[in-house]
Amino acid sequence: MLSRLLTVATVGLSSKAFLALNTVSVAGLDVLRTALDDRQRGVLTVCNHISVTDDPLTWGIMPISSYFNPRNIRWTLGASDIMFTNPVFSAFFRSGQVIETFRGNGIQQPAIDDAIRKLDAGHWVHLFPEGKVNQFLSPQAQLLRFKWGIGRMLMDVKRTPVVIPMWLTGFDQVMPENRGFPRFLPRPGKRISITFGDPYHLTSRLDDILSQWRADTQPLADAEQASRRIQVTRIVQEEVEKLGYTVISGTQLNTKL
């Protein structure tokens, strides 16, 4: 617990310090804070993935007090072949509330089981469902197909979490994929926006569907389970893309950090 507290606090404060070197606009942070304060169910945030710095830098917008209470900081999934390549990295990322995930091992792997347990226990889980950095967005904010692990999480939790769509801009300039030397350093002085969408429409939409399925006592064939996971995943992606379009088209009001 102490190692988690020290890691989360250090990374959180460092992220906040870096964001201070940029022009940052934030909209809807109160949505996330309300969900975390209420905590009658788990919290699931979902957003586009435009830079290797999206996490943790995004969470530099959180109140400083959050960094000293790991329960108010997200759990997230991280690729084993990138984040857990040696004992030092493994210890650091585990202390930073990252769940080791094995690419190619499908949606039945232990990482997904662990994320489901976190949500059932009322924790906050954050996902980048595209599964990789995507800096080539269309004007319509069309994303790569979301991985179906999010569908399995939502189908298998005991109670639908509060699902909050998010949209990021500017981090692709902080860490462009085609950056030169020094590749490992983020670039300050950029314009960044972090937008939280309305969770109530999305959560209610999912809860209506998922509640009906949970009430069904008949075991589902594998094909039917897969079909339902795909449907749930598509609903989440639609809402994230819809939020992204409002941001890109300039209809989302932002407030300066």
Side-chain angles (χ1 to χ4, degrees), residues 174-212:
V174 171
M175 273 292 206
E177 288 291 276
N178 61 351
R179 63 192 179 275
F181 180 84
R183 284 189 60 81
F184 57 88
L185 288 180
R187 279 64 169 165
K190 307 303 180 183
R191 298 187 66 86
I192 294 168
S193 77
I194 301 164
T195 305
F196 297 84
D198 177 11
Y200 303 106
H201 171 70
L202 175 54
T203 301
S204 297
R205 186 179 175 189
L206 290 169
D207 210 14
D208 288 346
I209 296 172
L210 294 169
S211 295
Q212 295 176 18

PDB file of all heavy atoms in Angstrom, residues 174-212:
ATOM      1  N   VAL A 174       2.269  16.560 -27.894  1.00  0.00           N
ATOM      2  CA  VAL A 174       3.200  16.378 -26.775  1.00  0.00           C
ATOM      3  C   VAL A 174       4.158  15.228 -27.075  1.00  0.00           C
ATOM      4  O   VAL A 174       5.361  15.302 -26.783  1.00  0.00           O
ATOM      5  CB  VAL A 174       2.417  16.112 -25.473  1.00  0.00           C
ATOM      6  CG1 VAL A 174       3.369  15.702 -24.330  1.00  0.00           C
ATOM      7  CG2 VAL A 174       1.619  17.350 -25.073  1.00  0.00           C
ATOM      8  N   MET A 175       3.625  14.164 -27.646  1.00  0.00           N
ATOM      9  CA  MET A 175       4.435  13.010 -28.027  1.00  0.00           C
ATOM     10  C   MET A 175       4.003  12.503 -29.396  1.00  0.00           C
ATOM     11  O   MET A 175       3.324  11.489 -29.526  1.00  0.00           O
ATOM     12  CB  MET A 175       4.298  11.888 -27.000  1.00  0.00           C
ATOM     13  CG  MET A 175       5.247  11.974 -25.825  1.00  0.00           C
ATOM     14  SD  MET A 175       6.970  11.694 -26.290  1.00  0.00           S
ATOM     15  CE  MET A 175       7.645  11.076 -24.744  1.00  0.00           C
ATOM     16  N   PRO A 176       4.363  13.214 -30.481  1.00  0.00           N
ATOM     17  CA  PRO A 176       4.013  12.728 -31.819  1.00  0.00           C
ATOM     18  C   PRO A 176       4.723  11.416 -32.116  1.00  0.00           C
ATOM     19  O   PRO A 176       5.856  11.188 -31.677  1.00  0.00           O
ATOM     20  CB  PRO A 176       4.491  13.850 -32.739  1.00  0.00           C
ATOM     21  CG  PRO A 176       5.502  14.609 -31.947  1.00  0.00           C
ATOM     22  CD  PRO A 176       5.119  14.478 -30.510  1.00  0.00           C
ATOM     23  N   GLU A 177       4.062  10.558 -32.858  1.00  0.00           N
ATOM     24  CA  GLU A 177       4.639   9.256 -33.163  1.00  0.00           C
ATOM     25  C   GLU A 177       5.913   9.373 -33.998  1.00  0.00           C
ATOM     26  O   GLU A 177       6.807   8.541 -33.900  1.00  0.00           O
ATOM     27  CB  GLU A 177       3.611   8.393 -33.907  1.00  0.00           C
ATOM     28  CG  GLU A 177       2.472   7.890 -33.024  1.00  0.00           C
ATOM     29  CD  GLU A 177       2.941   6.864 -32.007  1.00  0.00           C
ATOM     30  OE1 GLU A 177       3.033   5.673 -32.352  1.00  0.00           O
ATOM     31  OE2 GLU A 177       3.224   7.263 -30.860  1.00  0.00           O
ATOM     32  N   ASN A 178       6.008  10.420 -34.805  1.00  0.00           N
ATOM     33  CA  ASN A 178       7.182  10.586 -35.675  1.00  0.00           C
ATOM     34  C   ASN A 178       8.242  11.507 -35.063  1.00  0.00           C
ATOM     35  O   ASN A 178       9.055  12.091 -35.772  1.00  0.00           O
ATOM     36  CB  ASN A 178       6.753  11.140 -37.038  1.00  0.00           C
ATOM     37  CG  ASN A 178       6.090  12.512 -36.915  1.00  0.00           C
ATOM     38  OD1 ASN A 178       5.810  12.975 -35.802  1.00  0.00           O
ATOM     39  ND2 ASN A 178       5.820  13.148 -38.039  1.00  0.00           N
ATOM     40  N   ARG A 179       8.244  11.619 -33.740  1.00  0.00           N
ATOM     41  CA  ARG A 179       9.170  12.532 -33.068  1.00  0.00           C
ATOM     42  C   ARG A 179      10.619  12.079 -33.242  1.00  0.00           C
ATOM     43  O   ARG A 179      10.897  10.881 -33.343  1.00  0.00           O
ATOM     44  CB  ARG A 179       8.828  12.643 -31.586  1.00  0.00           C
ATOM     45  CG  ARG A 179       8.972  11.331 -30.817  1.00  0.00           C
ATOM     46  CD  ARG A 179       8.355  11.411 -29.432  1.00  0.00           C
ATOM     47  NE  ARG A 179       8.479  10.156 -28.702  1.00  0.00           N
ATOM     48  CZ  ARG A 179       7.626   9.144 -28.809  1.00  0.00           C
ATOM     49  NH1 ARG A 179       6.611   9.223 -29.642  1.00  0.00           N
ATOM     50  NH2 ARG A 179       7.807   8.047 -28.099  1.00  0.00           N
ATOM     51  N   GLY A 180      11.526  13.036 -33.222  1.00  0.00           N
ATOM     52  CA  GLY A 180      12.943  12.734 -33.278  1.00  0.00           C
ATOM     53  C   GLY A 180      13.549  12.715 -31.889  1.00  0.00           C
ATOM     54  O   GLY A 180      12.859  12.544 -30.885  1.00  0.00           O
ATOM     55  N   PHE A 181      14.852  12.936 -31.822  1.00  0.00           N
ATOM     56  CA  PHE A 181      15.564  12.943 -30.545  1.00  0.00           C
ATOM     57  C   PHE A 181      15.193  14.199 -29.754  1.00  0.00           C
ATOM     58  O   PHE A 181      15.055  15.274 -30.336  1.00  0.00           O
ATOM     59  CB  PHE A 181      17.073  12.921 -30.814  1.00  0.00           C
ATOM     60  CG  PHE A 181      17.904  12.932 -29.556  1.00  0.00           C
ATOM     61  CD1 PHE A 181      18.168  11.759 -28.879  1.00  0.00           C
ATOM     62  CD2 PHE A 181      18.408  14.126 -29.053  1.00  0.00           C
ATOM     63  CE1 PHE A 181      18.933  11.772 -27.724  1.00  0.00           C
ATOM     64  CE2 PHE A 181      19.172  14.146 -27.903  1.00  0.00           C
ATOM     65  CZ  PHE A 181      19.433  12.964 -27.237  1.00  0.00           C
ATOM     66  N   PRO A 182      15.020  14.121 -28.431  1.00  0.00           N
ATOM     67  CA  PRO A 182      15.009  12.893 -27.624  1.00  0.00           C
ATOM     68  C   PRO A 182      13.608  12.273 -27.599  1.00  0.00           C
ATOM     69  O   PRO A 182      12.655  12.918 -27.191  1.00  0.00           O
ATOM     70  CB  PRO A 182      15.404  13.394 -26.237  1.00  0.00           C
ATOM     71  CG  PRO A 182      14.895  14.815 -26.192  1.00  0.00           C
ATOM     72  CD  PRO A 182      14.964  15.339 -27.596  1.00  0.00           C
ATOM     73  N   ARG A 183      13.503  11.048 -28.046  1.00  0.00           N
ATOM     74  CA  ARG A 183      12.205  10.396 -28.191  1.00  0.00           C
ATOM     75  C   ARG A 183      11.487  10.190 -26.869  1.00  0.00           C
ATOM     76  O   ARG A 183      10.255  10.108 -26.831  1.00  0.00           O
ATOM     77  CB  ARG A 183      12.375   9.039 -28.878  1.00  0.00           C
ATOM     78  CG  ARG A 183      12.628   9.132 -30.377  1.00  0.00           C
ATOM     79  CD  ARG A 183      12.566   7.769 -31.037  1.00  0.00           C
ATOM     80  NE  ARG A 183      11.282   7.116 -30.872  1.00  0.00           N
ATOM     81  CZ  ARG A 183      10.210   7.378 -31.615  1.00  0.00           C
ATOM     82  NH1 ARG A 183      10.256   8.295 -32.555  1.00  0.00           N
ATOM     83  NH2 ARG A 183       9.082   6.717 -31.413  1.00  0.00           N
ATOM     84  N   PHE A 184      12.236  10.100 -25.773  1.00  0.00           N
ATOM     85  CA  PHE A 184      11.631   9.750 -24.497  1.00  0.00           C
ATOM     86  C   PHE A 184      11.122  10.958 -23.720  1.00  0.00           C
ATOM     87  O   PHE A 184      10.538  10.799 -22.641  1.00  0.00           O
ATOM     88  CB  PHE A 184      12.636   8.977 -23.635  1.00  0.00           C
ATOM     89  CG  PHE A 184      13.916   9.726 -23.390  1.00  0.00           C
ATOM     90  CD1 PHE A 184      14.051  10.586 -22.321  1.00  0.00           C
ATOM     91  CD2 PHE A 184      14.989   9.568 -24.260  1.00  0.00           C
ATOM     92  CE1 PHE A 184      15.231  11.283 -22.108  1.00  0.00           C
ATOM     93  CE2 PHE A 184      16.179  10.253 -24.057  1.00  0.00           C
ATOM     94  CZ  PHE A 184      16.304  11.114 -22.974  1.00  0.00           C
ATOM     95  N   LEU A 185      11.309  12.172 -24.234  1.00  0.00           N
ATOM     96  CA  LEU A 185      10.889  13.367 -23.503  1.00  0.00           C
ATOM     97  C   LEU A 185       9.633  13.981 -24.124  1.00  0.00           C
ATOM     98  O   LEU A 185       9.576  14.210 -25.333  1.00  0.00           O
ATOM     99  CB  LEU A 185      12.002  14.419 -23.503  1.00  0.00           C
ATOM    100  CG  LEU A 185      13.225  14.127 -22.634  1.00  0.00           C
ATOM    101  CD1 LEU A 185      14.224  15.267 -22.748  1.00  0.00           C
ATOM    102  CD2 LEU A 185      12.813  13.909 -21.175  1.00  0.00           C
ATOM    103  N   PRO A 186       8.603  14.269 -23.304  1.00  0.00           N
ATOM    104  CA  PRO A 186       7.425  14.963 -23.821  1.00  0.00           C
ATOM    105  C   PRO A 186       7.749  16.415 -24.155  1.00  0.00           C
ATOM    106  O   PRO A 186       8.634  17.023 -23.558  1.00  0.00           O
ATOM    107  CB  PRO A 186       6.428  14.865 -22.655  1.00  0.00           C
ATOM    108  CG  PRO A 186       7.280  14.708 -21.439  1.00  0.00           C
ATOM    109  CD  PRO A 186       8.494  13.938 -21.873  1.00  0.00           C
ATOM    110  N   ARG A 187       7.012  16.969 -25.113  1.00  0.00           N
ATOM    111  CA  ARG A 187       7.228  18.344 -25.573  1.00  0.00           C
ATOM    112  C   ARG A 187       6.230  19.277 -24.892  1.00  0.00           C
ATOM    113  O   ARG A 187       5.017  19.131 -25.095  1.00  0.00           O
ATOM    114  CB  ARG A 187       7.037  18.442 -27.088  1.00  0.00           C
ATOM    115  CG  ARG A 187       8.228  18.012 -27.935  1.00  0.00           C
ATOM    116  CD  ARG A 187       8.594  16.570 -27.809  1.00  0.00           C
ATOM    117  NE  ARG A 187       9.578  16.181 -28.835  1.00  0.00           N
ATOM    118  CZ  ARG A 187      10.294  15.074 -28.796  1.00  0.00           C
ATOM    119  NH1 ARG A 187      10.146  14.218 -27.779  1.00  0.00           N
ATOM    120  NH2 ARG A 187      11.158  14.791 -29.754  1.00  0.00           N
ATOM    121  N   PRO A 188       6.690  20.248 -24.112  1.00  0.00           N
ATOM    122  CA  PRO A 188       5.769  21.194 -23.464  1.00  0.00           C
ATOM    123  C   PRO A 188       5.341  22.295 -24.426  1.00  0.00           C
ATOM    124  O   PRO A 188       5.752  22.338 -25.590  1.00  0.00           O
ATOM    125  CB  PRO A 188       6.615  21.752 -22.318  1.00  0.00           C
ATOM    126  CG  PRO A 188       8.018  21.683 -22.837  1.00  0.00           C
ATOM    127  CD  PRO A 188       8.088  20.459 -23.699  1.00  0.00           C
ATOM    128  N   GLY A 189       4.487  23.182 -23.925  1.00  0.00           N
ATOM    129  CA  GLY A 189       4.063  24.331 -24.707  1.00  0.00           C
ATOM    130  C   GLY A 189       2.978  24.029 -25.723  1.00  0.00           C
ATOM    131  O   GLY A 189       2.824  24.777 -26.693  1.00  0.00           O
ATOM    132  N   LYS A 190       2.199  22.989 -25.517  1.00  0.00           N
ATOM    133  CA  LYS A 190       1.162  22.601 -26.476  1.00  0.00           C
ATOM    134  C   LYS A 190      -0.226  22.990 -25.951  1.00  0.00           C
ATOM    135  O   LYS A 190      -0.400  23.312 -24.778  1.00  0.00           O
ATOM    136  CB  LYS A 190       1.216  21.094 -26.737  1.00  0.00           C
ATOM    137  CG  LYS A 190       2.583  20.575 -27.139  1.00  0.00           C
ATOM    138  CD  LYS A 190       3.130  21.266 -28.367  1.00  0.00           C
ATOM    139  CE  LYS A 190       4.498  20.726 -28.750  1.00  0.00           C
ATOM    140  NZ  LYS A 190       5.077  21.449 -29.911  1.00  0.00           N
ATOM    141  N   ARG A 191      -1.200  22.958 -26.848  1.00  0.00           N
ATOM    142  CA  ARG A 191      -2.597  23.195 -26.475  1.00  0.00           C
ATOM    143  C   ARG A 191      -3.276  21.839 -26.294  1.00  0.00           C
ATOM    144  O   ARG A 191      -3.324  21.033 -27.234  1.00  0.00           O
ATOM    145  CB  ARG A 191      -3.314  24.018 -27.549  1.00  0.00           C
ATOM    146  CG  ARG A 191      -2.720  25.404 -27.749  1.00  0.00           C
ATOM    147  CD  ARG A 191      -3.564  26.236 -28.696  1.00  0.00           C
ATOM    148  NE  ARG A 191      -4.860  26.523 -28.110  1.00  0.00           N
ATOM    149  CZ  ARG A 191      -5.098  27.564 -27.290  1.00  0.00           C
ATOM    150  NH1 ARG A 191      -4.115  28.406 -26.968  1.00  0.00           N
ATOM    151  NH2 ARG A 191      -6.310  27.771 -26.808  1.00  0.00           N
ATOM    152  N   ILE A 192      -3.778  21.610 -25.112  1.00  0.00           N
ATOM    153  CA  ILE A 192      -4.350  20.318 -24.735  1.00  0.00           C
ATOM    154  C   ILE A 192      -5.788  20.531 -24.273  1.00  0.00           C
ATOM    155  O   ILE A 192      -6.091  21.512 -23.585  1.00  0.00           O
ATOM    156  CB  ILE A 192      -3.525  19.689 -23.587  1.00  0.00           C
ATOM    157  CG1 ILE A 192      -2.107  19.324 -24.070  1.00  0.00           C
ATOM    158  CG2 ILE A 192      -4.228  18.466 -22.996  1.00  0.00           C
ATOM    159  CD1 ILE A 192      -1.162  18.964 -22.944  1.00  0.00           C
ATOM    160  N   SER A 193      -6.661  19.619 -24.660  1.00  0.00           N
ATOM    161  CA  SER A 193      -8.016  19.637 -24.093  1.00  0.00           C
ATOM    162  C   SER A 193      -8.381  18.252 -23.594  1.00  0.00           C
ATOM    163  O   SER A 193      -7.998  17.235 -24.196  1.00  0.00           O
ATOM    164  CB  SER A 193      -9.046  20.143 -25.105  1.00  0.00           C
ATOM    165  OG  SER A 193      -9.367  19.152 -26.058  1.00  0.00           O
ATOM    166  N   ILE A 194      -9.106  18.236 -22.483  1.00  0.00           N
ATOM    167  CA  ILE A 194      -9.572  16.999 -21.855  1.00  0.00           C
ATOM    168  C   ILE A 194     -11.054  17.194 -21.569  1.00  0.00           C
ATOM    169  O   ILE A 194     -11.426  18.087 -20.800  1.00  0.00           O
ATOM    170  CB  ILE A 194      -8.802  16.706 -20.555  1.00  0.00           C
ATOM    171  CG1 ILE A 194      -7.291  16.586 -20.852  1.00  0.00           C
ATOM    172  CG2 ILE A 194      -9.331  15.448 -19.882  1.00  0.00           C
ATOM    173  CD1 ILE A 194      -6.420  16.672 -19.617  1.00  0.00           C
ATOM    174  N   THR A 195     -11.886  16.385 -22.207  1.00  0.00           N
ATOM    175  CA  THR A 195     -13.331  16.572 -22.119  1.00  0.00           C
ATOM    176  C   THR A 195     -14.002  15.307 -21.608  1.00  0.00           C
ATOM    177  O   THR A 195     -13.760  14.213 -22.127  1.00  0.00           O
ATOM    178  CB  THR A 195     -13.916  16.939 -23.492  1.00  0.00           C
ATOM    179  OG1 THR A 195     -13.227  18.085 -24.009  1.00  0.00           O
ATOM    180  CG2 THR A 195     -15.394  17.241 -23.393  1.00  0.00           C
ATOM    181  N   PHE A 196     -14.837  15.464 -20.600  1.00  0.00           N
ATOM    182  CA  PHE A 196     -15.634  14.368 -20.057  1.00  0.00           C
ATOM    183  C   PHE A 196     -17.064  14.531 -20.538  1.00  0.00           C
ATOM    184  O   PHE A 196     -17.657  15.611 -20.414  1.00  0.00           O
ATOM    185  CB  PHE A 196     -15.608  14.381 -18.525  1.00  0.00           C
ATOM    186  CG  PHE A 196     -14.244  14.154 -17.933  1.00  0.00           C
ATOM    187  CD1 PHE A 196     -13.359  15.217 -17.775  1.00  0.00           C
ATOM    188  CD2 PHE A 196     -13.846  12.890 -17.544  1.00  0.00           C
ATOM    189  CE1 PHE A 196     -12.092  15.024 -17.239  1.00  0.00           C
ATOM    190  CE2 PHE A 196     -12.575  12.684 -17.008  1.00  0.00           C
ATOM    191  CZ  PHE A 196     -11.705  13.752 -16.861  1.00  0.00           C
ATOM    192  N   GLY A 197     -17.630  13.470 -21.089  1.00  0.00           N
ATOM    193  CA  GLY A 197     -18.999  13.521 -21.577  1.00  0.00           C
ATOM    194  C   GLY A 197     -20.008  13.168 -20.500  1.00  0.00           C
ATOM    195  O   GLY A 197     -19.653  12.795 -19.368  1.00  0.00           O
ATOM    196  N   ASP A 198     -21.260  13.265 -20.862  1.00  0.00           N
ATOM    197  CA  ASP A 198     -22.363  12.948 -19.954  1.00  0.00           C
ATOM    198  C   ASP A 198     -22.441  11.436 -19.757  1.00  0.00           C
ATOM    199  O   ASP A 198     -22.654  10.696 -20.720  1.00  0.00           O
ATOM    200  CB  ASP A 198     -23.666  13.471 -20.560  1.00  0.00           C
ATOM    201  CG  ASP A 198     -24.890  13.120 -19.719  1.00  0.00           C
ATOM    202  OD1 ASP A 198     -24.721  12.651 -18.580  1.00  0.00           O
ATOM    203  OD2 ASP A 198     -26.010  13.322 -20.211  1.00  0.00           O
ATOM    204  N   PRO A 199     -22.258  10.951 -18.528  1.00  0.00           N
ATOM    205  CA  PRO A 199     -22.296   9.498 -18.322  1.00  0.00           C
ATOM    206  C   PRO A 199     -23.703   8.936 -18.187  1.00  0.00           C
ATOM    207  O   PRO A 199     -23.902   7.727 -18.310  1.00  0.00           O
ATOM    208  CB  PRO A 199     -21.533   9.322 -17.003  1.00  0.00           C
ATOM    209  CG  PRO A 199     -21.867  10.569 -16.239  1.00  0.00           C
ATOM    210  CD  PRO A 199     -21.939  11.676 -17.280  1.00  0.00           C
ATOM    211  N   TYR A 200     -24.673   9.793 -17.947  1.00  0.00           N
ATOM    212  CA  TYR A 200     -25.976   9.280 -17.545  1.00  0.00           C
ATOM    213  C   TYR A 200     -26.728   8.639 -18.702  1.00  0.00           C
ATOM    214  O   TYR A 200     -27.347   7.585 -18.550  1.00  0.00           O
ATOM    215  CB  TYR A 200     -26.784  10.407 -16.887  1.00  0.00           C
ATOM    216  CG  TYR A 200     -26.017  10.982 -15.717  1.00  0.00           C
ATOM    217  CD1 TYR A 200     -25.403  12.225 -15.800  1.00  0.00           C
ATOM    218  CD2 TYR A 200     -25.846  10.227 -14.550  1.00  0.00           C
ATOM    219  CE1 TYR A 200     -24.657  12.718 -14.747  1.00  0.00           C
ATOM    220  CE2 TYR A 200     -25.096  10.708 -13.491  1.00  0.00           C
ATOM    221  CZ  TYR A 200     -24.500  11.961 -13.598  1.00  0.00           C
ATOM    222  OH  TYR A 200     -23.743  12.429 -12.567  1.00  0.00           O
ATOM    223  N   HIS A 201     -26.648   9.237 -19.876  1.00  0.00           N
ATOM    224  CA  HIS A 201     -27.300   8.638 -21.046  1.00  0.00           C
ATOM    225  C   HIS A 201     -26.644   7.303 -21.377  1.00  0.00           C
ATOM    226  O   HIS A 201     -27.340   6.293 -21.582  1.00  0.00           O
ATOM    227  CB  HIS A 201     -27.208   9.588 -22.237  1.00  0.00           C
ATOM    228  CG  HIS A 201     -27.645   8.968 -23.522  1.00  0.00           C
ATOM    229  ND1 HIS A 201     -28.962   8.656 -23.796  1.00  0.00           N
ATOM    230  CD2 HIS A 201     -26.935   8.563 -24.621  1.00  0.00           C
ATOM    231  CE1 HIS A 201     -29.055   8.109 -24.980  1.00  0.00           C
ATOM    232  NE2 HIS A 201     -27.851   8.030 -25.512  1.00  0.00           N
ATOM    233  N   LEU A 202     -25.314   7.282 -21.431  1.00  0.00           N
ATOM    234  CA  LEU A 202     -24.602   6.053 -21.785  1.00  0.00           C
ATOM    235  C   LEU A 202     -24.814   4.973 -20.739  1.00  0.00           C
ATOM    236  O   LEU A 202     -25.112   3.815 -21.064  1.00  0.00           O
ATOM    237  CB  LEU A 202     -23.109   6.344 -21.954  1.00  0.00           C
ATOM    238  CG  LEU A 202     -22.190   5.144 -22.206  1.00  0.00           C
ATOM    239  CD1 LEU A 202     -22.667   4.325 -23.395  1.00  0.00           C
ATOM    240  CD2 LEU A 202     -20.745   5.608 -22.410  1.00  0.00           C
ATOM    241  N   THR A 203     -24.680   5.325 -19.454  1.00  0.00           N
ATOM    242  CA  THR A 203     -24.841   4.332 -18.388  1.00  0.00           C
ATOM    243  C   THR A 203     -26.257   3.775 -18.377  1.00  0.00           C
ATOM    244  O   THR A 203     -26.464   2.559 -18.235  1.00  0.00           O
ATOM    245  CB  THR A 203     -24.502   4.959 -17.022  1.00  0.00           C
ATOM    246  OG1 THR A 203     -23.158   5.450 -17.045  1.00  0.00           O
ATOM    247  CG2 THR A 203     -24.633   3.939 -15.899  1.00  0.00           C
ATOM    248  N   SER A 204     -27.254   4.648 -18.552  1.00  0.00           N
ATOM    249  CA  SER A 204     -28.644   4.185 -18.560  1.00  0.00           C
ATOM    250  C   SER A 204     -28.912   3.281 -19.755  1.00  0.00           C
ATOM    251  O   SER A 204     -29.599   2.263 -19.643  1.00  0.00           O
ATOM    252  CB  SER A 204     -29.600   5.382 -18.589  1.00  0.00           C
ATOM    253  OG  SER A 204     -29.445   6.164 -17.430  1.00  0.00           O
ATOM    254  N   ARG A 205     -28.361   3.673 -20.903  1.00  0.00           N
ATOM    255  CA  ARG A 205     -28.540   2.873 -22.118  1.00  0.00           C
ATOM    256  C   ARG A 205     -27.958   1.473 -21.927  1.00  0.00           C
ATOM    257  O   ARG A 205     -28.589   0.464 -22.270  1.00  0.00           O
ATOM    258  CB  ARG A 205     -27.863   3.580 -23.284  1.00  0.00           C
ATOM    259  CG  ARG A 205     -28.077   2.948 -24.639  1.00  0.00           C
ATOM    260  CD  ARG A 205     -27.376   3.762 -25.714  1.00  0.00           C
ATOM    261  NE  ARG A 205     -27.462   3.104 -27.015  1.00  0.00           N
ATOM    262  CZ  ARG A 205     -26.792   3.497 -28.092  1.00  0.00           C
ATOM    263  NH1 ARG A 205     -25.992   4.554 -28.020  1.00  0.00           N
ATOM    264  NH2 ARG A 205     -26.914   2.836 -29.228  1.00  0.00           N
ATOM    265  N   LEU A 206     -26.767   1.411 -21.350  1.00  0.00           N
ATOM    266  CA  LEU A 206     -26.137   0.116 -21.098  1.00  0.00           C
ATOM    267  C   LEU A 206     -26.872  -0.664 -20.020  1.00  0.00           C
ATOM    268  O   LEU A 206     -27.077  -1.877 -20.139  1.00  0.00           O
ATOM    269  CB  LEU A 206     -24.678   0.325 -20.691  1.00  0.00           C
ATOM    270  CG  LEU A 206     -23.733   0.820 -21.786  1.00  0.00           C
ATOM    271  CD1 LEU A 206     -22.399   1.235 -21.178  1.00  0.00           C
ATOM    272  CD2 LEU A 206     -23.509  -0.257 -22.838  1.00  0.00           C
ATOM    273  N   ASP A 207     -27.273   0.034 -18.954  1.00  0.00           N
ATOM    274  CA  ASP A 207     -27.905  -0.639 -17.820  1.00  0.00           C
ATOM    275  C   ASP A 207     -29.218  -1.293 -18.235  1.00  0.00           C
ATOM    276  O   ASP A 207     -29.538  -2.397 -17.783  1.00  0.00           O
ATOM    277  CB  ASP A 207     -28.147   0.372 -16.694  1.00  0.00           C
ATOM    278  CG  ASP A 207     -28.097  -0.276 -15.317  1.00  0.00           C
ATOM    279  OD1 ASP A 207     -27.616  -1.432 -15.216  1.00  0.00           O
ATOM    280  OD2 ASP A 207     -28.515   0.363 -14.348  1.00  0.00           O
ATOM    281  N   ASP A 208     -29.967  -0.621 -19.111  1.00  0.00           N
ATOM    282  CA  ASP A 208     -31.235  -1.206 -19.578  1.00  0.00           C
ATOM    283  C   ASP A 208     -30.982  -2.535 -20.283  1.00  0.00           C
ATOM    284  O   ASP A 208     -31.692  -3.524 -20.048  1.00  0.00           O
ATOM    285  CB  ASP A 208     -31.929  -0.236 -20.541  1.00  0.00           C
ATOM    286  CG  ASP A 208     -32.514   0.970 -19.829  1.00  0.00           C
ATOM    287  OD1 ASP A 208     -32.624   0.926 -18.590  1.00  0.00           O
ATOM    288  OD2 ASP A 208     -32.820   1.968 -20.510  1.00  0.00           O
ATOM    289  N   ILE A 209     -29.974  -2.556 -21.149  1.00  0.00           N
ATOM    290  CA  ILE A 209     -29.663  -3.779 -21.896  1.00  0.00           C
ATOM    291  C   ILE A 209     -29.094  -4.849 -20.974  1.00  0.00           C
ATOM    292  O   ILE A 209     -29.521  -6.006 -20.975  1.00  0.00           O
ATOM    293  CB  ILE A 209     -28.673  -3.466 -23.022  1.00  0.00           C
ATOM    294  CG1 ILE A 209     -29.310  -2.524 -24.045  1.00  0.00           C
ATOM    295  CG2 ILE A 209     -28.197  -4.753 -23.707  1.00  0.00           C
ATOM    296  CD1 ILE A 209     -28.336  -2.011 -25.081  1.00  0.00           C
ATOM    297  N   LEU A 210     -28.108  -4.455 -20.157  1.00  0.00           N
ATOM    298  CA  LEU A 210     -27.402  -5.430 -19.331  1.00  0.00           C
ATOM    299  C   LEU A 210     -28.302  -6.009 -18.250  1.00  0.00           C
ATOM    300  O   LEU A 210     -28.185  -7.197 -17.901  1.00  0.00           O
ATOM    301  CB  LEU A 210     -26.173  -4.766 -18.703  1.00  0.00           C
ATOM    302  CG  LEU A 210     -25.097  -4.351 -19.719  1.00  0.00           C
ATOM    303  CD1 LEU A 210     -24.041  -3.464 -19.047  1.00  0.00           C
ATOM    304  CD2 LEU A 210     -24.434  -5.562 -20.348  1.00  0.00           C
ATOM    305  N   SER A 211     -29.206  -5.219 -17.708  1.00  0.00           N
ATOM    306  CA  SER A 211     -30.115  -5.720 -16.675  1.00  0.00           C
ATOM    307  C   SER A 211     -31.014  -6.815 -17.231  1.00  0.00           C
ATOM    308  O   SER A 211     -31.286  -7.818 -16.563  1.00  0.00           O
ATOM    309  CB  SER A 211     -30.965  -4.569 -16.118  1.00  0.00           C
ATOM    310  OG  SER A 211     -30.153  -3.628 -15.454  1.00  0.00           O
ATOM    311  N   GLN A 212     -31.478  -6.622 -18.456  1.00  0.00           N
ATOM    312  CA  GLN A 212     -32.295  -7.659 -19.094  1.00  0.00           C
ATOM    313  C   GLN A 212     -31.502  -8.941 -19.281  1.00  0.00           C
ATOM    314  O   GLN A 212     -32.010 -10.041 -19.046  1.00  0.00           O
ATOM    315  CB  GLN A 212     -32.803  -7.156 -20.443  1.00  0.00           C
ATOM    316  CG  GLN A 212     -33.767  -5.979 -20.350  1.00  0.00           C
ATOM    317  CD  GLN A 212     -34.174  -5.458 -21.718  1.00  0.00           C
ATOM    318  OE1 GLN A 212     -34.023  -6.143 -22.721  1.00  0.00           O
ATOM    319  NE2 GLN A 212     -34.685  -4.236 -21.757  1.00  0.00           N
TER     320      GLN A 212
END
